[in-house]
Amino acid sequence: MRKAIFATALLFIMAQGSALAQVKPETLVKQRQAVMTLHGKYMGQLGRMAQGREPYNASVAARNAGFLDALSKMPWDGFDPSTKDVKSRALPAVFSDPGKFKQAADRYQGEVAKLVAATKGGDEATVKSAIGAVGKACAGCHDDFQQPQ
Amino acid sequence: MRKAIFATALLFIMAQGSALAQVKPETLVKQRQAVMTLHGKYMGQLGRMAQGREPYNASVAARNAGFLDALSKMPWDGFDPSTKDVKSRALPAVFSDPGKFKQAADRYQGEVAKLVAATKGGDEATVKSAIGAVGKACAGCHDDFQQPQ
């Protein structure tokens, strides 16, 4: 009887585990692409400010940096091996060289954290330079891991 | 000469202003839908925890609440009147009754803020009840302003 209960509990735990893992690959891709779309919204505006194509606004810069901080943590679990064959712009290197991909992701998150700190300091030149560094980290990762459009 | 410089500066400022306003309606819709997709990711998991369909994990709950806090501030400028005729699930009431829409949005953001506070307190029952309140605020807004699927 005890054995039966234990077996049932184990099956239940396994089922839960697999339920957790069973987000459809297409959903994972859609979710990580949603993060990139929103990055485009907020990083795009920061880029325009850094390049003087839009007036600099310190509070908008700080808000966008905060949003990017959250967004920069969201996409990574979406690059699950199960998504390898789903149509997207992710290059095979994402899955064949996960160490290098993680390194690029970490670099990017580090630059976003520096940008957040810069917007708290409030110095416009420092913020603009930090925006540039985030842009380079974006591009660095896209160059190696994302198919050009 | 001065008058000419002034006129040129004014034209430049107007051009910048219109550049800011000229995000394509389709892009605005895509961006606000991206927010909803990511809400689904993080709120979905919180809902499963609250309903006992996934083991409760306090640090994941706090992380997701922080993500929702950022996400809950992102979609609203995407409901620009220019998007009124773009195909989406937004009901006409979004544009015909913006006061009621704002009220629903504010209620939702308020419940997310309470959830963030609850995850900082760390009491599981309080967090689960706050998740339920966020869920109700989501549904309340969707009922009036989003076409069912």
Side-chain angles (χ1 to χ4, degrees):
Chain A
M1 178 64 187
R2 249 199 197 166
K3 233 178 186 171
I5 289 173
F6 179 75
T8 308
L10 196 68
L11 275 176
F12 178 74
I13 291 163
M14 283 166 65
Q16 283 241 325
S18 74
L20 291 186
Q22 265 172 12
V23 179
K24 280 187 203 158
E26 290 75 13
T27 303
L28 290 173
V29 170
K30 191 181 170 192
Q31 288 168 340
R32 72 188 196 213
Q33 287 175 338
V35 179
M36 298 296 163
T37 294
L38 292 168
H39 263 287
K41 178 176 182 184
Y42 297 108
M43 185 59 196
Q45 187 177 32
L46 289 172
R48 290 195 299 275
M49 282 187 198
Q51 292 161 13
R53 290 188 291 132
E54 184 173 320
Y56 182 74
N57 179 320
S59 69
V60 172
R63 183 205 64 174
N64 286 19
F67 286 168
L68 289 184
D69 192 44
L71 291 166
S72 71
K73 294 166 184 150
M74 293 183 191
W76 315 114
D77 59 356
F79 292 95
D80 189 82
S82 67
T83 65
K84 202 161 59 84
D85 300 321
V86 179
K87 195 174 179 297
S88 83
R89 290 170 61 205
L91 291 173
V94 169
F95 307 103
S96 64
D97 198 347
K100 196 179 164 196
F101 183 56
K102 193 183 177 315
Q103 209 171 21
D106 287 348
R107 181 184 155 208
Y108 166 69
Q109 286 181 271
E111 294 297 352
V112 171
K114 282 186 215 161
L115 170 63
V116 171
T119 59
K120 282 179 184 159
D123 176 62
E124 184 177 327
T126 312
V127 172
K128 287 185 173 178
S129 146
I131 293 170
V134 172
K136 270 186 203 155
C138 287
C141 194
H142 289 182
D143 282 350
D144 291 337
F145 298 104
Q146 190 188 49
Q147 200 156 20
Q149 251 172 339
Chain B
M1 180 65 188
R2 248 197 200 172
K3 231 177 187 170
I5 290 174
F6 179 73
T8 310
L10 196 66
L11 275 176
F12 178 74
I13 290 163
M14 283 167 64
Q16 283 241 324
S18 74
L20 291 187
Q22 265 172 11
V23 180
K24 279 187 203 160
E26 290 75 14
T27 303
L28 290 173
V29 170
K30 191 182 171 191
Q31 288 167 341
R32 72 187 196 213
Q33 287 175 338
V35 179
M36 298 296 163
T37 294
L38 292 168
H39 263 288
K41 179 177 181 183
Y42 298 107
M43 186 58 196
Q45 188 177 30
L46 288 172
R48 290 194 298 276
M49 283 187 198
Q51 293 161 13
R53 289 188 291 132
E54 183 172 320
Y56 182 73
N57 180 319
S59 69
V60 172
R63 184 204 65 174
N64 285 20
F67 286 168
L68 289 184
D69 192 44
L71 291 166
S72 71
K73 292 165 185 153
M74 292 183 191
W76 316 114
D77 60 356
F79 291 95
D80 189 83
S82 68
T83 64
K84 202 162 58 84
D85 299 320
V86 179
K87 195 175 179 295
S88 84
R89 289 170 62 205
L91 290 174
V94 169
F95 306 102
S96 63
D97 198 347
K100 196 178 166 197
F101 183 56
K102 190 178 178 320
Q103 208 172 23
D106 287 348
R107 181 185 157 209
Y108 166 69
Q109 284 181 273
E111 295 297 352
V112 171
K114 282 186 213 161
L115 171 62
V116 172
T119 60
K120 283 180 183 158
D123 176 62
E124 184 177 327
T126 313
V127 172
K128 287 185 172 179
S129 146
I131 293 170
V134 173
K136 270 186 203 155
C138 287
C141 194
H142 287 183
D143 283 349
D144 291 336
F145 298 104
Q146 190 188 47
Q147 200 155 20
Q149 253 171 338

